[in-house]
Amino acid sequence: MLGNMMFQPLLISNMIEHAGRYHADSLVISKNTDLSITETTWGQVHENSKRFANALQALGAVQGDRIATIAWNNHRHLESWYAISGSGMVCHTINPRLFPEQLVFIINDADDKVLLFDKTFLPLVKAVKPMLKCVEHYICLDAPDSAVTEQLPDVLFYDDVIAQQSTQYTWPVLDELSASSLCYTSGTTGNPKGVLYSHRSTVLHSYAICMPDSLNISARDIMLPVVPMFHVNAWGTPYAAAMVGCTLVLPGPGLDGASLVHLIDTFKVSVALGVPTIWQGLINAALQTGTTLESLKRNVVGGSACPPAMLQIFKEKFDCETIHAWGMTETSPLGSSCQFKAKHQSLSDEEKLKIRLSQGRPPFGVDLRLTDEEKGTHELERDGHASGNLQIKGHWIIQNYFGKAESALTSDGWFDTGDIATLDADGYLKISDRSKDLIKSGGEWISSVELENLAMGHPKIAMAAVIAAIHPKWDERPILIAIKKAETDLSEAELLDYYADKVAKWQIPDKVIFVNSIPLSGTGKMLKKDLRELYGNVLLNS
Ligand code: AMP
């Protein structure tokens, strides 16, 4: 027997309608590319999103079309992403820090019809345009500017485009399983892979991140997502912000510590979200200016492990509670967040700190398990000690990559994260290592395999391994362990120089260590874990 309750599909358009109707006067404060500040409201964002939905239709875009954005977190970007997803198109947010070849690959792979971009990224757009097969319209997220038109003659301007359109637009009633947005993630080898979110997964994820035991977001918050909208949809926060109607502060290109201090203190930000590198910058700037960041009650650290000292500084110097969270592009991203249970309240500060350093426990809606590397899907104990492959399943977890028919899941339906972890009986997760061959530098991925393959292509190199070394500023940086071919001469500088025209500058290893041998497993694989034990700390004292 079925229940007798109404069915409504879970849609992103419902969120912006809700914010526009019930939180019309809540502010959306936004730093523009020229660093000026625009104050707008959810009511205005709602209206402009409808205008832009009309504009996309007028340009001939239809449901299912991919619309790309290369932009910082700002109000035009926010309006356009509600317009795109709300009208049944797919919002493809692109990381501008990618190497141009990768950018071209993902735009062509996604088959993007329209490309929206911040003026800052004009040189990048101009450089890749000749290689883009699919883009029919380029829209600069700004007011008309002849300097841009000179360089990109057919360009349209967002302010112009929406000014010509009406706010009358009826959001289509879509199947809740329809695609809503697309983010690419680095593959361990080869090209980046697309993760295609649905309306349903996005709405359910938004409910989950607002819950008190997750990020605890409410209408009383003033939220600053420092994490970019191209990094897993700013961890879903702009959706959650519309859902609860909180004030949103969008930092634009100003991600440095001083700019963030200014935004937090000026607009009384209560909760901010970002990767550890961002917080390091904020801490340094705040200590320099002497501000206590009085309004900041919570900050969310994710993307990389939160260093213990960071938790303590936020608590002791800024009276700010740090929520350590774990997730991935493939998991929308929230997989776990660290909040106490009732039984923890009476623990000593030291014991509490131990819990807070874990990545926390999963919210309702996702499930975590550990499996033994040797035994495939054999599940390990949740005892806080057994360490294994971290696997996840749930309402907002990937099933297969964009354009790939084959499932991304294990034979029994779990997604293997590539992280190595422990879980305790309460579900608290501790990430201890990573099995995927990726290095995370300042929140951005670097493929160790790609760097190794390039080094192996050098005529004087016999064998090369690239590992993540711990770095005080960037969390991790690549270092290259290499064996030279017999009777050849090669310096560190020459080898690093070899990368210059092959990868983006920030992906070039920080150091080369020449060795006579690299430890190998029984099957001939390089034992990177051993290399990390030997050389993982070499950048700490340099
Ligand atoms: P991305 O898809 O770029 O968001 O990266 C996801 C990966 O970042 C995870 O699989 C982890 O390897 C790493 N990661 C994310 N959050 C954390 C965290 N809190 N602690 C340690 N590693 C993390």
Side-chain angles (χ1 to χ4, degrees), residues 184-186 195 197 231-232 235 275-276 301-306 323-331 333 336 357-360 390 415 417-420 429-436 438 440 443-445 476:
Y184 276 71
T185 182
S186 299
V195 180
Y197 309 97
H231 186 190
V232 213
W235 299 347
V275 295
V301 183
S304 287
C306 178
I323 303 172
H324 191 194
W326 169 88
M328 313 173 67
T329 308
E330 287 89 337
T331 66
S336 68
L357 280 172
S358 79
Q359 279 80 2
L390 176 66
F415 177 72
T417 65
D419 287 328
I420 310 291
L429 164 73
K430 187 95 188 76
I431 305 281
S432 53
D433 202 356
R434 202 179 281 144
S435 65
K436 51 197 168 198
L438 290 168
K440 204 161 204 189
E444 302 285 344
W445 287 115
E476 292 177 3

Side-chain angles (χ1 to χ4, degrees), residues 87-104:
S87 60
M89 296 165 206
V90 178
C91 185
H92 174 201
T93 47
I94 299 177
N95 183 349
R97 299 186 186 113
L98 293 177
F99 205 45
E101 275 79 24
Q102 281 183 321
L103 221 119
V104 169

Side-chain angles (χ1 to χ4, degrees), residues 42-325:
W42 277 112
Q44 195 66 44
V45 171
H46 176 219
E47 290 199 344
N48 283 348
S49 67
K50 289 187 169 194
R51 286 196 174 95
F52 193 60
N54 277 323
L56 285 171
Q57 210 167 39
L59 288 173
V62 296
Q63 284 182 19
D65 277 352
R66 268 77 69 202
I67 312 293
T69 67
I70 307 183
W72 296 116
N73 297 2
N74 60 53
H75 66 289
R76 294 181 178 96
H77 195 184
L78 182 72
E79 292 167 3
S80 63
W81 92 337
Y82 273 110
I84 297 165
S85 301
S87 60
M89 296 165 206
V90 178
C91 185
H92 174 201
T93 47
I94 299 177
N95 183 349
R97 299 186 186 113
L98 293 177
F99 205 45
E101 275 79 24
Q102 281 183 321
L103 221 119
V104 169
F105 169 83
I106 65 169
I107 294 175
N108 287 334
D109 188 63
D111 197 19
D112 294 323
K113 287 278 170 315
V114 181
L115 174 57
L116 315 182
F117 63 96
D118 273 352
K119 212 193 286 187
T120 337
F121 300 120
L122 175 64
L124 187 62
V125 171
K126 207 180 145 200
V128 297
K129 186 170 182 259
M131 276 87 76
L132 303 182
K133 299 179 196 144
C134 42
V135 179
E136 293 167 11
H137 303 283
Y138 292 81
I139 303 180
C140 178
L141 288 165
D142 223 309
D145 179 344
S146 57
V148 178
T149 313
E150 265 169 39
Q151 306 218 35
L152 208 65
D154 299 329
V155 72
L156 299 169
F157 291 92
Y158 181 82
D159 290 8
D160 236 7
V161 164
I162 59 166
Q164 293 160 17
Q165 298 293 337
S166 138
T167 57
Q168 297 305 310
Y169 179 85
T170 307
W171 303 110
V173 180
L174 307 164
D175 182 332
E176 64 179 13
L177 297 176
S178 311
S180 57
S181 66
L182 177 65
C183 285
Y184 276 71
T185 182
S186 299
T188 42
T189 50
N191 284 316
K193 291 182 283 187
V195 180
L196 189 62
Y197 309 97
S198 69
H199 285 261
R200 176 186 159 82
S201 72
T202 304
V203 174
L204 292 176
H205 178 264
S206 305
Y207 276 121
I209 69 172
C210 292
M211 292 203 302
D213 271 2
S214 296
L215 312 185
N216 192 11
I217 302 165
S218 78
R220 294 166 296 287
D221 271 315
I222 301 176
M223 180 161 71
L224 170 68
V226 187
V227 52
M229 285 157 75
F230 55 77
H231 186 190
V232 213
N233 296 318
W235 299 347
T237 50
Y239 299 121
M243 192 176 244
V244 301
C246 69
T247 297
L248 200 52
V249 180
L250 299 172
L255 307 184
D256 58 289
S259 304
L260 296 177
V261 164
H262 180 252
L263 284 184
I264 292 170
D265 284 346
T266 310
F267 299 108
K268 311 270 177 279
V269 168
S270 63
V271 55
L273 305 95
V275 295
T277 317
I278 289 293
W279 301 129
Q280 202 51 59
L282 177 80
I283 290 170
N284 293 344
L287 292 178
Q288 241 167 39
T289 58
T291 173
T292 58
L293 301 175
E294 204 189 334
S295 61
L296 194 68
K297 299 286 173 273
R298 300 178 321 280
N299 72 326
V300 180
V301 183
S304 287
C306 178
M310 193 170 274
L311 270 174
Q312 277 166 316
I313 291 179
F314 270 111
K315 186 158 189 290
E316 285 160 19
K317 297 266 183 216
F318 305 112
D319 193 20
C320 170
E321 176 205 342
T322 297
I323 303 172
H324 191 194

Side-chain angles (χ1 to χ4, degrees), residues 4 20 74 85 161 166 212 217 248 292 309 341 364 378 407 434 439 471 494 519 522 542:
N4 291 341
N74 60 53
S85 301
V161 164
S166 138
I217 302 165
L248 200 52
T292 58
K341 291 186 169 184
F364 173 73
H378 172 75
S407 165
R434 202 179 281 144
I439 295 157
H471 191 279
E494 279 173 287
S542 56

